[in-house]
Amino acid sequence: MTELSFACVGVRADPYAAGPTLVLRLRISASGGERVHALALRCQLRIEPSRRSYGPGEADRLSDLFGERSRWESTLHPLQFAQVSVVVPGFTDETEVDLPVPCTYDMDVASAKYFAALEDGEAPLLLLFSGTAFCGPGGFRVQPVPWDREAVCRLPVRVWREMIGHHFPGCGWIRLPSAAMDALLAYRSRNALPSWEATVRALLDAADEAPGPAPLAVPLAVPLAAEGIAP
C-alpha cells in the first residue's frame, strides 16, 4: 500500500468567499514514488485548547466553555471545529492543495466563541484525515486513507479576526428564536425604524424610561446586526 502523510504548511482567509472561509494549505506526500491518480480526502478539524496558554482576559471570556480556570485540568477538552472534504488531483511523490474551511460568527457555536475569546497568538488545531486513495503505476487500485493520519495547524488569531472583520466590519451577531424575531420585525415595521440597531436602541430607551428596577446596561458601541440565525 502507498503510505500517505500530511502536513499543514499555511493558513489564510479567502477574501473572495461569500462567507467567512479559511483556506488551509496541505502538503501531501506518497511514499515509494508511486502514482496517486486521485485522492478523495475528508478532514475533521478539532481545536486543542490545552496546547496554548491564556491571559486573564481570555480566561474570563472562556469561562462559558470551560468554567473557572481552577477547573481547567478536567474541563479543557477538544472542541469540534469543522468537517470538510476535497478531491486532490493526481500526483507523484508530493503535492500541495488548498482545503477551504467555511466558518461561522454565530457566538452560540463553541468554536466561534473560542476564537473570539483569544487576544493574540495562535489557536491550536488538529487535522484528522480519512478518505479514499486511487493508486497504482498501471491502472489503479483503491485503498483507504488510514484513520491515524493527522497534522497540526497553528491558526494565527490575527487571521481569524481579519476574516471576520472583512465580512462583518464593526458588527456583532445575536441568534433569536423565530417567534422573537417575528415580534422584533413587527415592532420595527410598526415604528418605521430604519435599522436593527435603531430597533434595539428604541427598545432599550423604552426600558430605561419604564418604572421599576433599572435594566441591565447593554453597550452598543458598534452596530448590532440581528438576522435570526447567524451565518
Side-chain angles (χ1 to χ4, degrees):
M1 294 179 65
T2 300
E3 289 291 329
L4 298 171
S5 60
F6 302 86
C8 181
V9 296
V11 57
R12 59 181 174 84
D14 185 351
Y16 304 109
T21 301
L22 293 172
V23 179
L24 278 59
R25 188 69 175 174
L26 299 182
R27 178 176 296 152
I28 306 171
S29 302
S31 64
E34 189 172 90
R35 178 71 178 172
V36 177
H37 299 287
L39 179 59
L41 188 64
R42 295 187 297 272
C43 180
Q44 178 187 148
L45 291 88
R46 294 194 322 203
I47 300 169
E48 301 278 299
S50 61
R51 294 190 178 187
R52 63 159 284 166
S53 59
Y54 302 92
E58 294 173 327
D60 290 342
R61 290 187 290 273
L62 289 171
S63 61
D64 285 348
L65 291 175
F66 306 120
E68 297 299 322
R69 190 191 282 268
S70 59
R71 300 176 52 212
W72 281 11
E73 186 174 346
S74 60
T75 62
L76 215 60
H77 300 307
L79 301 174
Q80 180 73 10
F81 178 25
Q83 294 196 54
V84 292
S85 301
V86 66
V87 176
V88 181
F91 67 95
T92 301
D93 291 331
E94 186 175 277
T95 189
E96 292 190 2
V97 64
D98 286 338
L99 180 68
V101 182
C103 303
T104 179
Y105 193 35
D106 183 348
M107 295 302 290
D108 286 339
V109 177
S111 59
K113 186 177 295 186
Y114 175 84
F115 292 133
L118 304 183
E119 296 173 355
D120 53 24
E122 298 172 327
L125 305 180
L126 182 64
L127 283 55
L128 305 172
F129 298 100
S130 61
T132 304
F134 302 88
C135 307
F140 65 87
R141 68 174 183 273
V142 179
Q143 69 176 61
V145 176
W147 284 89
D148 62 352
R149 304 295 93 160
E150 61 183 45
V152 173
C153 175
R154 308 292 296 188
L155 169 62
V157 174
R158 169 187 53 79
V159 171
W160 172 268
R161 293 190 179 279
E162 289 175 356
M163 176 188 67
I164 295 301
H166 175 75
H167 289 276
F168 310 117
C171 292
W173 289 91
I174 57 174
R175 180 166 61 176
L176 298 174
S178 56
M181 191 66 200
D182 290 342
L184 195 62
L185 179 60
Y187 178 86
R188 175 179 173 177
S189 299
R190 188 167 57 251
N191 292 276
L193 296 167
S195 66
W196 288 117
E197 181 184 3
T199 303
V200 174
R201 287 187 180 278
L203 288 169
L204 292 175
D205 291 342
D208 287 340
E209 295 171 1
L216 180 66
V218 179
L220 288 175
V222 298
L224 180 66
E227 299 291 348
I229 302 292

